CSV table of all heavy atoms in Angstrom, one decimal:
chain,number,residue,atom,x,y,z
T,148,VAL,N,52.6,60.3,89.5
T,148,VAL,CA,51.6,59.7,88.6
T,148,VAL,C,50.9,58.5,89.2
T,148,VAL,O,51.4,58.0,90.3
T,148,VAL,CB,52.3,59.2,87.3
T,148,VAL,CG1,52.8,60.4,86.5
T,148,VAL,CG2,53.4,58.3,87.7
T,149,LEU,N,49.8,58.1,88.7
T,149,LEU,CA,49.1,56.9,89.1
T,149,LEU,C,48.5,57.0,90.5
T,149,LEU,O,48.2,55.9,91.1
T,149,LEU,CB,50.0,55.6,89.1
T,149,LEU,CG,50.7,55.3,87.7
T,149,LEU,CD1,51.6,54.1,87.8
T,149,LEU,CD2,49.6,55.0,86.7
T,150,GLU,N,48.3,58.2,91.0
T,150,GLU,CA,47.7,58.3,92.3
T,150,GLU,C,46.3,57.8,92.3
T,150,GLU,O,45.8,57.3,93.4
T,150,GLU,CB,47.8,59.8,92.8
T,150,GLU,CG,46.9,60.7,92.2
T,150,GLU,CD,47.1,61.0,90.7
T,150,GLU,OE1,48.2,60.8,90.2
T,150,GLU,OE2,46.1,61.4,90.1
T,151,ASP,N,45.5,58.0,91.2
T,151,ASP,CA,44.1,57.6,91.2
T,151,ASP,C,44.0,56.1,91.0
T,151,ASP,O,43.2,55.4,91.6
T,151,ASP,CB,43.4,58.4,90.1
T,151,ASP,CG,44.1,58.4,88.8
T,151,ASP,OD1,45.2,58.0,88.7
T,151,ASP,OD2,43.5,59.0,87.8
T,152,PHE,N,44.9,55.5,90.2
T,152,PHE,CA,45.0,54.1,90.0
T,152,PHE,C,45.2,53.4,91.3
T,152,PHE,O,44.6,52.4,91.7
T,152,PHE,CB,46.1,53.7,89.0
T,152,PHE,CG,46.4,52.3,88.7
T,152,PHE,CD1,45.9,51.7,87.6
T,152,PHE,CD2,47.2,51.5,89.6
T,152,PHE,CE1,46.1,50.4,87.4
T,152,PHE,CE2,47.4,50.2,89.4
T,152,PHE,CZ,46.8,49.6,88.2
T,153,ASP,N,46.1,54.0,92.1
T,153,ASP,CA,46.5,53.4,93.4
T,153,ASP,C,45.3,53.5,94.4
T,153,ASP,O,45.1,52.5,95.2
T,153,ASP,CB,47.7,54.2,94.0
T,153,ASP,CG,48.2,53.7,95.3
T,153,ASP,OD1,48.5,52.5,95.5
T,153,ASP,OD2,48.2,54.5,96.3
T,154,ALA,N,44.6,54.6,94.4
T,154,ALA,CA,43.5,54.7,95.4
T,154,ALA,C,42.2,54.1,95.0
T,154,ALA,O,41.2,54.1,95.8
T,154,ALA,CB,43.3,56.3,95.6
T,155,MET,N,42.1,53.7,93.7
T,155,MET,CA,40.7,53.2,93.2
T,155,MET,C,40.1,52.1,94.0
T,155,MET,O,38.9,52.1,94.3
T,155,MET,CB,40.9,52.8,91.7
T,155,MET,CG,39.5,52.7,91.0
T,155,MET,SD,38.6,54.2,91.0
T,155,MET,CE,39.6,55.3,90.0
T,156,PRO,N,40.8,51.1,94.5
T,156,PRO,CA,40.1,50.0,95.3
T,156,PRO,C,39.4,50.6,96.5
T,156,PRO,O,38.3,50.2,96.9
T,156,PRO,CB,41.3,49.1,95.7
T,156,PRO,CG,42.2,49.2,94.6
T,156,PRO,CD,42.2,50.7,94.2
T,157,LYS,N,40.1,51.5,97.2
T,157,LYS,CA,39.4,52.1,98.4
T,157,LYS,C,38.2,53.0,98.0
T,157,LYS,O,37.2,52.9,98.7
T,157,LYS,CB,40.5,52.9,99.2
T,157,LYS,CG,39.9,53.5,100.5
T,157,LYS,CD,41.0,54.3,101.3
T,157,LYS,CE,42.1,53.3,101.8
T,157,LYS,NZ,43.0,54.1,102.7
T,158,ILE,N,38.4,53.7,96.9
T,158,ILE,CA,37.3,54.6,96.5
T,158,ILE,C,36.0,53.8,96.1
T,158,ILE,O,34.9,54.1,96.4
T,158,ILE,CB,37.7,55.4,95.3
T,158,ILE,CG1,38.8,56.4,95.7
T,158,ILE,CG2,36.5,56.2,94.7
T,158,ILE,CD1,39.5,57.1,94.5
T,159,MET,N,36.3,52.6,95.5
T,159,MET,CA,35.2,51.8,95.0
T,159,MET,C,34.6,50.8,96.0
T,159,MET,O,33.7,50.0,95.7
T,159,MET,CB,35.6,51.0,93.7
T,159,MET,CG,35.8,51.9,92.5
T,159,MET,SD,34.2,52.7,92.0
T,159,MET,CE,34.7,53.7,90.7
T,160,SER,N,35.2,50.8,97.2
T,160,SER,CA,34.9,49.7,98.1
T,160,SER,C,33.4,49.6,98.6
T,160,SER,O,32.9,48.5,98.9
T,160,SER,CB,35.8,49.7,99.3
T,160,SER,OG,35.6,50.9,100.0
T,161,GLN,N,32.8,50.8,98.5
T,161,GLN,CA,31.4,50.9,99.0
T,161,GLN,C,30.4,51.1,97.9
T,161,GLN,O,29.2,51.2,98.1
T,161,GLN,CB,31.2,52.0,100.1
T,161,GLN,CG,32.1,51.8,101.3
T,161,GLN,CD,31.9,50.5,102.0
T,161,GLN,OE1,30.7,50.1,102.2
T,161,GLN,NE2,32.9,49.9,102.5
T,162,ALA,N,30.8,51.2,96.7
T,162,ALA,CA,29.9,51.5,95.5
T,162,ALA,C,29.0,50.3,95.2
T,162,ALA,O,29.5,49.2,95.2
T,162,ALA,CB,30.7,51.9,94.3
T,163,LYS,N,27.8,50.6,94.9
T,163,LYS,CA,26.8,49.5,94.7
T,163,LYS,C,26.1,49.6,93.3
T,163,LYS,O,25.5,48.7,92.9
T,163,LYS,CB,25.6,49.6,95.8
T,163,LYS,CG,26.1,49.5,97.2
T,163,LYS,CD,26.8,48.2,97.5
T,163,LYS,CE,27.2,48.1,99.0
T,163,LYS,NZ,27.9,46.8,99.3
T,164,SER,N,26.3,50.8,92.6
T,164,SER,CA,25.6,50.9,91.4
T,164,SER,C,26.4,51.8,90.4
T,164,SER,O,27.1,52.8,90.9
T,164,SER,CB,24.2,51.5,91.5
T,164,SER,OG,24.2,52.8,92.2
Side-chain angles (χ1 to χ4, degrees):
V148 293
L149 300 177
E150 77 294 334
D151 46 356
F152 179 98
D153 179 58
M155 196 58 69
K157 185 177 291 186
I158 296 170
M159 289 294 176
S160 63
Q161 302 300 318
K163 303 296 183 185
S164 58

